[in-house]
Amino acid sequence: MSQQRQRSRLRLYLAAFSANLSFTSCGCAMAWTSPVLDNLDKSLGMEVSTSSKSWIGSLIAVGAICGPLMANKLLDRVGRRWTLILDVMLLILSWVIVGLPGLRLTFVDPLSLLYFGRFLSGVAVGIIFMSLPVYIAEISDVESRGPLGSLNELFIAFGFFFEYVFGSVTTYLQLAMVSTAIPLLFLATFWWMPESPHFLVMRGRKAEALKAIKWIRNYADDEDAAAEKEAQEIQALLDDTKDQSSPCRDLVMVKGNRRALLISCGLIFAQQFTGINVVQFYTQSILEDSSKPQQASGLPTGVAPMLVGGTQFFSSILTPIATRLFGIKIPLLLSALGAAIGQGALGIYFVLSDMEEGHGSVAFELIPVISMVFFMASFCIGLGPLPWAVMGEMFPPNVKALSSSVVSSFCFLLTFILTKFFKIVSDEYGRHSPIFFFAFCCFFGLIFIALTIPDTRGMTLQEIQDVLNGRTHRCQSPAVRRVTQTGSMIQIIMRSGLLVEQPDHSKNLLASEEEQHPMIPMITDNKHELPAKHTAIYNSKAYKEATKV
């Protein structure tokens, strides 16, 4: 049975891996500034001011704020699949524009091209960050949704590592050309992947939805019933929200949507205020500031960023394993704690180094690298990928596009603020000030996660909505949730088929119970809360078989 399940997920994994190549493309675009900015004057053959470099670094965030607002309509009109394909085409165009200044054209201002190209890159990145979690959540089954939703950090990390490595051995123009390789690979593989069944059912294209489900689940031709059942579950989820015709109103007025928005935005705030994008955008600058101008913390120039990027990539491999074993909440808690320790250690190093005229031993100079490596490893097991996984599974279909655009735009608004003003605050108040602020925010995120995040391990998307709307307690076991949703013990026992051949007096007993109590009290974790006359049913073999996890 286990091997059969693994075979049935082979195509699901293929679709998820292919789709996540778009996140690798995002990683390349976001990390481009680290190897390029310090040598930009030489690459363009002109002097580039600090202010211009700051805008080049932060304009990707400005574009990413606008991207999700555009994708809001695209997701529900052209579908999840085509939104991703068109967006990656836009990203390729942005790389062409970014590469043009490397030709040193005389008839166009190179900075204007850079500004426009980086803005387009941001638009593409924002759309991907909004669209891909939705696609992954909708094609995944219950068991694989968490691990597949956490893959994004692994693929983003590979994009950063890719850019750090090639940025150290290529010219400005060559790096722009090489950076188009990942988007082109995405188009070559994802072009053959199916559309989200949720979108197809929502648009009334049931035959296509069944075909997509059968392909993703690797169902045989004689397993139409299984595909039909999944399509009906999707339709039931859509029907649950079909009367809620105004997504803007429902996002604010419906209890479950408000909780989902609070959780998603809170996690994004905790993610961004770890200082992750400051670290990623300015890795080289931070490490060089901490040591001699020609070195990065005692290591040759370019090596330390590659070390940090490699740590980000390899630690991200652990995230799907951690979410499968422990769910989402525990990795998030450990991630916030580790990020706080890493940023705190880096801040302490800056305080100590500023108190001395010269730098100390080699071991002392390695502290910032070790701190950033520890911070990056901690970030990647939880706060990096999981807020996007949470966003993908928290919202019902009728508000998913709108809510995803709001959360994604909020994310990149914070990214813009942090990347734009980090250098200003650092120069004005000392390098340690923003780093200690990030460490404090990590502890705030730790408290927020502990108090607000439900454990959604093993839940279907419908069960998550029940928890958010207060119809089911988040601490109930899967068996109890299943009983609660069924509505009555009578229905569960009769559905089990184990009482069909019972003597007539047993059937009469059950019938009389149902007549006297049309809705037998919901099952709780404490069976003694039930009336005594229901104890026999609670302890029956039929009930135990029907509610077995």
Side-chain angles (χ1 to χ4, degrees), residues 35 162-171 175 284 301-303 306:
F162 181 92
E163 211 71 8
Y164 290 153
V165 171
F166 283 95
S168 65
V169 297
T170 59
T171 65
L175 181 60
Q284 187 73 38
T301 301
V303 172
M306 283 192 284

Side-chain angles (χ1 to χ4, degrees), residues 66-79 83 87 123 126-128 130-131 401-402 405:
C66 304
L69 302 178
M70 299 167 56
N72 180 25
K73 298 298 184 183
L74 282 174
L75 276 178
D76 288 341
R77 289 188 178 180
V78 304
T83 297
D87 183 56
V123 172
I127 294 175
I128 290 172
M130 171 190 168
S131 308
L402 174 63
S405 66

Side-chain angles (χ1 to χ4, degrees), residues 42 136 142 146 156 194 203 236 292 311 325 383 387 419 461 465 502:
K42 181 180 178 181
I136 295 297
V142 173
I156 291 175
R203 303 296 289 183
K292 302 175 183 178
T311 300
L325 293 176
L383 281 172
T419 54
L461 295 178
Q465 290 306 305
Q502 293 293 326

Side-chain angles (χ1 to χ4, degrees), residues 37-49 53:
L37 280 187
D38 288 342
N39 300 314
L40 192 59
D41 301 53
K42 181 180 178 181
S43 300
L44 300 184
M46 60 179 289
E47 184 177 353
V48 182
S49 67
K53 290 181 179 179

